[in-house]
Amino acid sequence: MGKKVAIVGAGVSGLASIRACLEEGLEPTCFEKSNDVGGLWKFSDHAEEGRASIYQSVVTNSCKEMMCFPDFPYPDDYPNYMHNTKLQEYIKMFAKKKNLLKYIQFETLVTSIKKCANFPVTGQWDIVTERDGNQESSVFDAVLICSGHHVYPKLPVDSFPGLAKFQGNYMHSRDYKSPEAFKGKRVLVIGLGNSGSDIAVELSHTASQVFISTRSGSWLMTRVWDDGYPWDMVYITRFKTFLWNLLPNFVSDWLYVRRMNSRFKHENYGLMPSNRASRKEPLFNDELPARIICGAVSIKPNVKEFTETSAVFQDGTEFGSIDSVIFATGYGYAYPFLDDSIIKSRDNEVTLYKGIFPPPLEKPTLAVIGLVQSLGAAIPTADLQARWAAKVLTGSCTLPSCKAMMDDIDEKMGKKLKWFGQSQTLQTDYITYMDELASFIGTKPNILWLFLTDPKLAAEVYFGPCSPYQFRLTGPGKWDGARNAILTQWDRTVKPSRTRAVSCAQKPQHFLYLLKIFSFSVFLLAIMLAYH
């Protein structure tokens, strides 16, 4: 009989965890507060306490080939970037196909997770759940927390002097659902992340005026890139990551800024970050520049203070007669059912080895799945995290000492602060992180071996997109369809847009493009060295 594993949440991470446990012979029981799977992607017309919440118009920022479960491609006719209802359909299809629903207890709230008295020996947890007003306590051998980090909104009211006397309405973006209530209103959106820009753009079609206040600016990117292909299929490749890591920091910084500026002239739109070399998380929005340039949206600096009817910005300008303020200021990560010291074991900051395991635990029987953020998609990331965590729970993979884990956390945190800034400590580099997890469980693609045994596949894996199928290509959990899925991914990409007969689409020429970048960077480096 396998170990009993409690899984908190039946969103993407929870489903990945159920499947990973089953693959390792564990016995999962998933507790889900709502009446359906999907988590963040299960839309509700009102924000529910303790659950993630999205607005009605949300569309994915990762394309279907880059955000699928690694052995479950999307239907060919699904659009590359999906409305939340389409993604929810896919999640439900996956749960049914993999026969995961029978392991989920719906409408069941986890109220408490505590170590058992003999935890140092057994590693067991006492879990209290509540359903229909009745509480039940059960003992589990391990716990996987999959409740996400878009649940508890950050509403920094203390950071904005005068907000208490502001006579208009204010709310967090979590409570925003649709633009109807803002018709003809003057609206200020605080925060230039994906949610803030989406909401501002949507409101600009019905509100009389929309301002966005940003503290530090953002790199603006669009979903559609070179030759009409999805940005992440063109951008996230192993060869680009390898090439980028070869370059000196000052060259890679310069190329990063140049690449971002080639997408849009951020100076003209007021979107440019204060530190141009910052690799903070990019902003994805296809419509924002057009709304700015026609005057429907205006970009302003941080709010200095509020008056009864207006906002005064740091540059001294003022936006008056405001009807509503929407704070798109992100979320905090909290687990009210768990003692804070377990996950925030130092200086009230989250300290998790590889973003998954709390180092100080006497037994590695608790893991957090889906907390990290990267430029890559959440679904394949959660899938690989869950697979490694399940192997740790069975003992087939082991963790280093607590000191070694804390040292690794410190090293990674230093790099994150340099690349992403103080507010983005959950960020991580996608390919590096995925390869690291894959190497722990023996599923990292061996590129050299692939070139020797299957050159066609090797070229697609190395020069093409780092799609999720690569992590089910070999090793434990191998999927026999992975090779074909990789070789046909471009066909599925163009399929939904082939609504009329045209000439054959040409696949992106990754190697030639990257060769140009490499040659130019070498030329630039040679010039700089010549002047020293």
Side-chain angles (χ1 to χ4, degrees):
M1 190 70 70
K3 293 181 178 179
K4 294 173 59 181
V5 181
I7 298 172
V8 183
V12 165
S13 298
L15 295 177
S17 296
I18 296 172
R19 198 263 289 266
C21 286
L22 294 173
E23 288 181 329
E24 294 300 318
L26 300 167
E27 292 186 28
T29 300
C30 179
F31 301 106
E32 167 58 40
K33 181 180 179 180
S34 74
N35 61 359
D36 202 357
V37 298
L40 174 68
W41 297 103
K42 181 183 180 296
F43 174 77
S44 172
D45 58 7
H46 62 280
E48 301 174 22
E49 184 67 27
R51 286 196 66 247
S53 179
I54 56 174
Y55 38 98
Q56 194 172 34
S57 59
V58 167
V59 175
T60 64
N61 290 329
S62 296
C63 73
K64 65 179 182 179
E65 290 302 305
M66 298 295 283
M67 69 174 301
C68 63
F69 285 99
D71 59 344
F72 195 70
Y74 289 84
D76 290 1
D77 60 349
Y78 269 43
N80 284 303
Y81 295 101
M82 293 164 285
H83 186 262
N84 61 85
T85 52
K86 275 291 185 186
L87 183 52
Q88 175 68 355
E89 285 179 10
Y90 169 80
I91 293 170
K92 294 177 74 170
M93 282 193 295
F94 175 79
K96 291 178 181 178
K97 178 70 173 179
K98 301 301 180 181
N99 199 25
L100 306 181
L101 296 176
K102 66 181 181 180
Y103 300 98
I104 304 172
Q105 294 185 17
F106 290 107
E107 298 180 331
T108 304
L109 174 67
V110 174
T111 61
S112 173
I113 298 177
K114 294 182 179 179
K115 296 178 182 178
C116 289
N118 57 352
F119 181 86
V121 177
T122 65
Q124 291 181 324
W125 299 85
D126 181 56
I127 298 181
V128 179
T129 58
E130 183 177 312
R131 180 184 173 89
D132 297 329
N134 299 316
Q135 290 195 338
E136 180 180 340
S137 178
S138 304
V139 173
F140 286 86
D141 298 303
V143 180
L144 298 178
I145 299 176
C146 308
S147 52
H149 53 91
H150 293 93
V151 177
Y152 301 100
K154 289 181 181 176
L155 194 59
V157 294
D158 295 336
S159 301
F160 295 93
L163 185 60
K165 61 184 178 181
F166 176 64
Q167 296 175 358
N169 301 315
Y170 68 87
M171 60 190 289
H172 191 272
S173 58
R174 181 177 187 272
D175 296 306
Y176 174 84
K177 292 298 176 181
S178 63
E180 286 78 14
F182 300 89
K183 185 175 182 179
K185 305 293 186 181
R186 293 168 63 82
V187 184
L188 172 63
V189 178
I190 296 181
L192 189 58
N194 290 315
S195 295
S197 59
D198 280 353
I199 291 171
V201 165
E202 185 170 68
L203 287 175
S204 70
H205 293 280
T206 56
S208 64
Q209 182 63 60
V210 178
F211 276 52
I212 301 178
S213 169
T214 175
R215 182 173 54 189
S216 58
S218 186
W219 294 113
L220 178 63
M221 296 169 67
T222 58
R223 295 177 177 89
V224 183
W225 269 39
D226 301 334
D227 301 316
Y229 284 100
W231 78 268
D232 38 355
M233 292 191 75
V234 177
Y235 188 85
I236 304 178
T237 75
R238 293 180 178 279
F239 183 59
K240 281 187 178 179
T241 297
F242 169 75
L243 180 61
W244 200 269
N245 289 335
L246 283 180
L247 300 175
N249 285 340
F250 70 92
V251 176
S252 63
D253 285 348
W254 184 86
L255 286 173
Y256 182 87
V257 173
R258 185 175 183 273
R259 179 59 171 163
M260 291 299 183
N261 281 343
S262 72
R263 307 308 303 174
F264 292 106
K265 295 297 182 183
H266 298 84
E267 297 94 332
N268 295 340
Y269 296 123
L271 301 172
M272 179 66 71
S274 55
N275 178 4
R276 295 191 177 194
S278 171
R279 288 155 169 88
K280 62 190 295 179
E281 184 180 11
L283 157 68
F284 290 91
N285 198 289
D286 303 300
E287 198 180 350
L288 181 58
R291 302 310 293 166
I292 293 174
I293 206 166
C294 70
V297 174
S298 299
I299 305 295
K300 300 298 291 183
N302 200 31
V303 174
K304 180 181 179 182
E305 63 177 342
F306 283 95
T307 69
E308 288 84 353
T309 60
S310 66
V312 180
F313 301 104
Q314 294 286 2
D315 62 359
T317 58
E318 187 172 343
F319 179 31
S321 301
I322 300 175
D323 296 295
S324 297
V325 178
I326 299 176
F327 286 89
T329 44
Y331 295 82
Y333 25 90
Y335 304 101
F337 47 76
L338 187 69
D339 189 326
D340 265 0
S341 64
I342 293 176
I343 292 179
K344 298 180 180 179
S345 58
R346 183 182 59 187
D347 298 331
N348 201 38
E349 68 178 21
V350 172
T351 46
L352 297 173
Y353 179 60
K354 306 304 180 186
I356 301 174
F357 287 99
L361 286 181
E362 301 94 326
K363 296 285 185 179
T365 57
L366 182 142
V368 180
I369 308 299
L371 184 59
V372 302
Q373 290 178 289
S374 72
L375 270 182
I379 292 179
T381 304
D383 184 77
L384 207 48
Q385 286 183 319
R387 291 167 66 187
W388 179 47
K391 285 187 173 295
V392 171
L393 297 182
T394 61
S396 57
C397 287
T398 58
L399 300 180
S401 67
C402 178
K403 182 182 184 306
M405 288 191 280
M406 293 302 295
D407 289 345
D408 182 83
I409 291 171
D410 290 339
E411 179 186 354
K412 295 292 193 302
M413 186 60 68
K415 292 180 179 178
K416 289 177 183 180
L417 291 174
K418 176 182 181 295
W419 278 67
F420 303 112
Q422 185 67 43
S423 64
Q424 301 290 343
T425 53
L426 294 182
Q427 291 290 335
T428 189
D429 180 71
Y430 178 71
I431 295 180
T432 302
Y433 183 67
M434 296 290 278
D435 278 351
E436 191 171 33
L437 296 184
S439 66
F440 293 153
I441 60 179
T443 60
K444 178 182 176 181
N446 187 325
I447 302 298
L448 179 58
W449 178 251
L450 279 180
F451 271 112
L452 295 174
T453 58
D454 195 339
K456 182 179 181 181
L457 177 63
E460 192 63 37
V461 169
Y462 192 58
F463 295 108
C466 183
S467 48
Y469 318 114
Q470 298 180 19
F471 301 104
R472 291 273 180 177
L473 193 59
T474 58
K478 176 183 176 181
W479 175 44
D480 291 338
R483 182 182 187 275
N484 182 65
I486 292 170
L487 296 179
T488 57
Q489 56 193 350
W490 293 106
D491 297 330
R492 288 188 299 278
T493 300
V494 300
K495 170 70 174 179
S497 58
R498 287 300 183 88
T499 55
R500 69 182 182 92
V502 293
S503 58
C504 292
Q506 184 177 358
K507 287 171 57 176
Q509 301 297 311
H510 300 293
F511 181 76
L512 294 178
Y513 171 75
L514 293 167
L515 187 61
K516 291 178 182 178
I517 291 181
F518 183 72
S519 301
F520 183 79
S521 61
V522 170
F523 175 71
L524 179 66
L525 180 61
I527 292 177
M528 291 181 174
L529 292 175
Y531 279 94
H532 273 277

